[in-house]
Amino acid sequence: GAGVSQTPSNKVTEKGKYVELRCDPISGHTALYWYRQSLGQGPEFLIYFQGTGAADDSGLPNDRFFAVRPEGSVSTLKIQRTERGDSAVYLCASSDTSGGAETQYFGPGTRLTVL
Amino acid sequence: AQSVTQLGSHVSVSEGALVLLRCNYSSSVPPYLFWYVQYPNQGLQLLLKYTSAATLVKGINGFEAEFKKSETSFHLTKPSAHMSDAAEYFCAVSDQGGSEKLVFGKGTKLTVNP
């Protein structure tokens, strides 16, 4: 079956602009996660959705970052007033249910470059 | 809070040699542990996971890992390296009781020499 998909695969923007990154999870998966991977680092957690609600947004770095999942499926990560330090690969993952033992399935990521 | 330490950001082995990638974790509760592999320009793929059943866990592509509570370790091994194993490997611990988010190590890049 189809895995997690993310669009766009690459996004180049200018400092100060607004961007939206989209994630399509595996069909039927209720849990959805966003991570950010900077060069040479492991992925870092941003936000977790269980259904439509953000159950944990403790990883969002500041109020320029926001994410939604209005119908409990597709999610959009929104970044306002982008800064060069926001450049990274943004990864989305989904799992069948929440629970520490559940496997998270990752998408290929969106590479964001802020000039 | 959970944390993961991967010793060695780069590991180089010869084809056919043993692969050993080290992972130590810190967790206040019994952990769930994961190894993921990332090929260039691809997403993360699960190799194996420990969920408090057998301490020796077998995964895909001939990899296995052993959970050692006394050493707080979850090292990844493969008896004989193949060229196709060249990739970056990430160890992760699950944040139980909360959002179950994964906390990752910084990764180990494996090079396999012919």
Side-chain angles (χ1 to χ4, degrees):
Chain A
V4 177
S5 62
Q6 293 185 245
T7 54
S9 56
N10 281 282
K11 176 69 177 179
V12 180
T13 191
E14 294 179 343
K15 180 176 179 294
K17 298 291 188 183
Y18 168 83
V19 297
E20 290 189 350
L21 312 179
R22 176 187 168 106
C23 173
D24 280 88
I26 292 172
S27 178
H29 279 191
T30 59
L32 186 146
Y33 302 79
W34 284 98
Y35 295 84
R36 179 168 71 173
Q37 186 175 19
S38 300
L39 194 63
Q41 302 293 317
E44 293 180 306
F45 169 77
L46 295 176
I47 187 169
Y48 155 65
F49 287 90
Q50 181 56 240
T52 60
D56 182 355
D57 64 358
S58 62
L60 295 178
N62 51 60
D63 61 6
R64 295 186 298 105
F65 288 75
F66 189 72
V68 295
R69 195 186 185 198
E71 298 178 356
S73 178
V74 170
S75 177
T76 304
L77 178 66
K78 308 180 181 191
I79 310 174
Q80 298 177 321
R81 304 183 305 281
T82 52
E83 299 177 357
R84 292 193 179 87
D86 299 335
S87 296
V89 176
Y90 289 80
L91 298 169
C92 176
S94 69
S95 65
D96 190 11
T97 62
S98 63
E102 290 298 322
T103 296
Q104 294 184 25
Y105 296 89
F106 283 79
T110 294
R111 183 176 299 276
L112 175 66
T113 303
V114 182
L115 301 176
Chain B
Q2 285 87 345
S3 66
V4 171
T5 301
Q6 291 185 242
L7 292 175
S9 58
H10 290 82
V11 170
S12 181
V13 300
S14 298
E15 191 174 18
L18 171 72
V19 175
L20 170 61
L21 305 182
R22 299 179 186 275
C23 172
N24 288 88
Y25 68 91
S26 171
S27 175
S28 58
V29 297
Y32 296 143
L33 294 158
F34 303 78
W35 274 100
Y36 280 86
V37 61
Q38 187 175 36
Y39 298 101
N41 300 315
Q42 295 188 27
L44 293 153
Q45 179 183 5
L46 181 72
L47 278 176
L48 49 81
K49 64 180 180 182
Y50 167 75
T51 58
S52 73
T55 56
L56 182 62
V57 182
K58 295 187 182 298
I60 62 171
N61 302 337
F63 285 92
E64 64 182 36
E66 186 172 9
F67 172 69
K68 292 187 176 180
K69 184 178 179 181
S70 61
E71 299 177 6
T72 60
S73 69
F74 190 57
H75 301 331
L76 182 70
T77 61
K78 182 174 180 178
S80 177
H82 192 272
M83 297 295 290
S84 61
D85 294 327
E88 188 144 26
Y89 293 79
F90 293 94
C91 182
V93 62
S94 175
D95 181 24
Q96 293 184 61
S99 66
E100 290 82 36
K101 65 179 183 280
L102 294 175
V103 177
F104 286 87
K106 292 188 175 182
T108 297
K109 185 174 183 179
L110 176 67
T111 301
V112 181
N113 302 306

